[in-house]
Amino acid sequence: DSALAREFHLQPKAHVLGAGAEGASAARYLAAQGCSVTAISHESEKAESLNPADAKLLSGRIESVPVGLMEWSPEEPLSAVVCTPAAFAGLTASQRSKVFAILQSATRDGGVHLVDTLIQNHAEPSLSELRRNYKGWTISVVDQGTSSRSFLARKAVA
């Protein structure tokens, strides 16, 4: 019933970026759907690891990269991006804008970005900041109770 399950209808082999330590469950879900997932998080973040059964089942579909969004650059076009607030920890608004621009330019037409904007009372980046950075994309906000809100943006098909 999550925004991820409702909004992401990706083709198998689609390349997805998951950023932020809390995004491990999203990475597992997308890999189980047949996507190739790059999961990035700072080494200092508490990352959820795969249990042995999941690791065997999803072998080769999830690549874990211990860097932050400022240090990572896409090597192939992305079909989707999923970020949690932890992915933006320590970044200034200017740095976040640069990251958004890089992720947007790497995203295929019709691609989707899902940014959790409120998790456990942590609300950065703000919805207004996201709206400013996603001009020209189709935007919606999904409230998932009092402790979770997701920003969803879909890139127009040219």
Side-chain angles (χ1 to χ4, degrees), residues 63-130:
E63 175 190 11
S64 294
V65 182
V67 298
L69 281 172
M70 286 296 294
E71 296 81 26
W72 182 81
S73 65
E75 295 178 6
E76 62 183 285
L78 299 168
S79 297
V81 173
V82 179
C83 294
T84 65
F88 302 102
L91 299 182
T92 65
S94 174
Q95 290 171 322
R96 289 190 299 268
S97 289
K98 287 178 186 176
V99 166
F100 290 131
I102 290 168
L103 295 176
Q104 290 169 5
S105 68
T107 302
R108 297 177 188 275
D109 288 353
V112 181
H113 288 195
L114 180 70
V115 182
D116 287 325
T117 61
L118 178 63
I119 295 180
Q120 299 172 347
N121 297 323
H122 186 278
E124 198 166 60
S126 69
L127 288 175
S128 60
E129 177 184 350
L130 288 165

